Amino acid sequence: MKSASGAPRRHLPTSPFKPPPPAPPVVQFSMDDLVTHDRYGLGVVTAVEGEVAVFVDFGSRQERITTPFPRLYKL
């Protein structure tokens, strides 16, 4: 849960609740990586916009997929 300011709440050591799980690491993609997407299928990364987005060629279409890269997996 995030506070109104958008920052995550600090976990107190005396709290009876478990701390939130750490954020998963951001997957880094590079040119010519083979990937699969749950909706579009198999593809090849054609361009990378830093850690913001990747362009993937799925054969019949090209898609720009933004972070956190939902449903996109490196093969």
Side-chain angles (χ1 to χ4, degrees):
M1 182 172 176
K2 295 193 177 209
S3 63
S5 67
R9 291 185 176 188
R10 184 173 50 115
H11 178 71
L12 299 174
T14 57
S15 173
F17 302 104
K18 292 182 181 178
V26 177
V27 178
Q28 298 292 324
F29 293 99
S30 58
M31 296 277 296
D32 298 326
D33 278 348
L34 293 175
V35 295
T36 183
H37 191 276
D38 290 346
R39 176 180 284 170
Y40 305 119
L42 296 174
V44 178
V45 176
T46 57
V48 178
E49 287 184 11
E51 294 182 7
V52 177
V54 294
F55 289 91
V56 182
D57 182 11
F58 292 104
S60 62
R61 67 187 316 162
Q62 293 185 352
E63 293 289 328
R64 179 179 184 262
I65 302 174
T66 58
T67 55
F69 307 118
R71 302 181 302 248
L72 184 68
Y73 306 100
K74 190 185 294 190
L75 296 178

